[in-house]
Amino acid sequence: QVQLVESGGGLEQPGGSLRLSCAASGIIFSIYAMGWYRQAPGNERELVAGISSAGSTNYADSVKGRFTISRDNAKNTAYLQMNSLKPGDTAVYYCNAVRGLFPLRAGDFGSWGQGTQVTVSS
């Protein structure tokens, strides 16, 4: 059974930075393309960043140049470094599988973690 545990969220001021982590278990993490998703109140969940098993990355236009996705296969962990945060980045952030990177295509393992809340406000 897949387990995804997101952490690292919090309250940050506009222009600040946060680093999110996603610890995965129950899968052979290294063979899967992974992504970070976010869902703001009243909005659908959107895929904002993806990384292949080999480390290629792609981003939604809304975060390109500000967010960086990475992974450590030895630790079964994916990361999202978020810089130059904006109030519009406020959302619950989740990690899960992606179906493709170019273009970004959402996917999932059949279940989702609890997510981590990111709030950007002065």
Side-chain angles (χ1 to χ4, degrees), residues 6-98:
E6 300 91 350
S7 62
L11 174 64
E12 185 58 67
Q13 292 186 344
S17 298
L18 285 172
R19 189 191 194 209
L20 307 184
S21 298
C22 167
S25 60
I27 57 171
I28 304 174
F29 179 78
S30 61
I31 70 172
Y32 289 100
M34 296 294 295
W36 281 94
Y37 300 75
R38 67 185 182 187
Q39 187 167 22
N43 290 357
E44 293 187 355
R45 189 175 291 162
E46 64 168 330
L47 174 59
V48 298
I51 184 167
S52 72
S53 58
S56 297
T57 60
N58 198 13
Y59 301 90
D61 288 344
S62 58
V63 307
K64 197 169 292 184
R66 300 187 298 120
F67 289 10
T68 302
I69 187 172
S70 61
R71 65 191 298 160
D72 185 336
N73 289 336
K75 296 182 178 180
N76 287 359
T77 301
Y79 303 97
L80 187 68
Q81 177 67 42
M82 304 188 296
N83 298 329
S84 303
L85 283 164
K86 304 176 181 180
D89 296 321
T90 296
V92 178
Y93 283 72
Y94 304 87
C95 69
N96 216 309
V98 298

